[in-house]
Amino acid sequence: MKTTIQVPVRGLVHPRDRKKRTFSGAYRHRIDRVLISSTWIRRRVRELARQLVGDLRLRRSSELELVVVLKGGAVFANALAREICRLGGPPVIFNYITASSYGSRTVSSGTVRIAGQIPFVRNKDILIVEDIADTGLTLARLKEYLLTERRAASVRICALLDKPSRRKRALKNRLALDYVGFRIPDIFVAGYGSDCAEHLRELPFIVAVKRRGVK
Ligand code: IMP
């Protein structure tokens, strides 16, 4: 099984999704191009679910406890959980947390805010589900928080997208992503739960955002 899929700058569009797509006015000024089409995402989510179910069986886990990072991780986590269920995997428990180093702008603020109802995770094996690993600050801080402050037994990370070229140098070898959907170039993206200033989360695919569509 692939550990990840490298997405070229021009994008990864499945032949089935190749028909010319035109975006209506509300979208046209924000979207540059489709970066990862929906068939690719569906297939990759299925692969990740298969990998997770295999690992959970090896660990003899009776449940999968998720900590979903809002808002970006919600769509991905839902799709992943449905696939796990379809594959006959263990029950999935959803916890939600808000943790982000972004405000509504597209540059990392450098500090990570953790908010929301803090899940009870003491002595549990946790899987963090996030849309994008960028500098890595959010995931590193969240993992540390769940392990040291909330006393989780173990914390693994599942990110749909990874931008390794953006990773903070100090985290390059320290932050392990256990499950990654796609490795993407340093491009600002949206769709499939990820936003551009709260827009475009509803798209069933991932798009590269037009620079002037970025606030
Ligand atoms: P990090 O802490 O720098 O790794 O940033 C991760 C957070 O920033 C995630 O919660 C993402 O939702 C958000 N983020 C990073 N890159 C993008 C992007 O290209 N589009 C939308 N959100 C992004």
Side-chain angles (χ1 to χ4, degrees):
M1 184 161 311
K2 296 181 195 72
T3 52
T4 184
I5 293 177
Q6 179 69 48
V7 176
V9 175
R10 66 181 183 285
L12 203 54
V13 176
H14 193 275
R16 199 179 291 165
D17 305 323
R18 210 158 267 161
K19 59 180 179 299
K20 188 84 183 136
R21 186 183 291 278
T22 51
F23 295 103
S24 65
Y27 290 107
R28 205 179 307 136
H29 73 286
R30 295 179 191 277
I31 299 176
D32 181 47
R33 65 189 183 282
V34 173
L35 191 71
I36 310 173
S37 71
S38 35
T39 302
W40 267 108
I41 298 175
R42 237 183 351 261
R43 287 185 171 195
R44 190 63 187 138
V45 169
R46 201 167 297 157
E47 279 183 1
L48 289 173
R50 210 172 294 134
Q51 197 181 339
L52 267 163
V53 169
D55 291 351
L56 290 163
R57 286 194 180 130
L58 282 177
R59 290 169 167 238
R60 297 181 191 283
S61 305
S62 57
E63 284 180 345
L64 174 60
E65 190 96 22
L66 305 183
V67 171
V68 182
V69 186
L70 294 176
K71 301 173 190 171
V75 172
F76 175 40
N78 290 349
L80 198 59
R82 277 196 304 270
E83 281 302 323
I84 289 169
C85 176
R86 220 179 50 81
L87 292 167
V92 180
I93 312 297
F94 286 78
N95 303 282
Y96 296 95
I97 203 163
T98 305
S100 182
S101 59
Y102 278 94
S104 60
R105 284 166 295 151
T106 58
V107 283
S108 173
S109 64
T111 48
V112 178
R113 287 187 305 274
I114 296 179
Q117 199 179 0
I118 306 305
F120 183 79
V121 298
R122 199 183 181 99
N123 297 331
K124 291 182 179 172
D125 296 313
I126 300 301
L127 182 70
I128 299 177
V129 182
E130 169 72 303
D131 58 347
I132 304 172
D134 188 68
T135 63
L137 282 170
T138 305
L139 285 167
R141 172 73 187 111
L142 195 49
K143 183 171 180 173
E144 176 195 77
Y145 170 78
L146 292 171
L147 282 172
T148 62
E149 292 175 48
R150 311 304 297 186
R151 302 292 174 98
S154 72
V155 175
R156 287 171 302 143
I157 294 173
C158 179
L160 179 63
L161 306 179
D162 182 20
K163 297 185 195 172
S165 63
R166 296 262 310 153
R167 196 75 84 249
K168 277 252 179 260
R169 194 179 302 162
L171 295 175
K172 274 216 161 94
N173 300 317
R174 272 189 37 223
L175 179 70
L177 303 182
D178 304 274
Y179 305 92
V180 172
F182 302 92
R183 196 171 286 155
I184 63 170
D186 180 8
I187 296 172
F188 197 83
V189 296
Y192 207 79
S194 299
D195 73 312
C196 172
E198 293 303 328
H199 287 86
L200 306 179
R201 291 190 199 275
E202 72 278 24
L203 298 178
F205 37 76
I206 307 278
V207 298
V209 172
K210 270 187 186 167
R211 286 216 58 79
R212 61 194 169 87
V214 174
K215 275 191 186 164

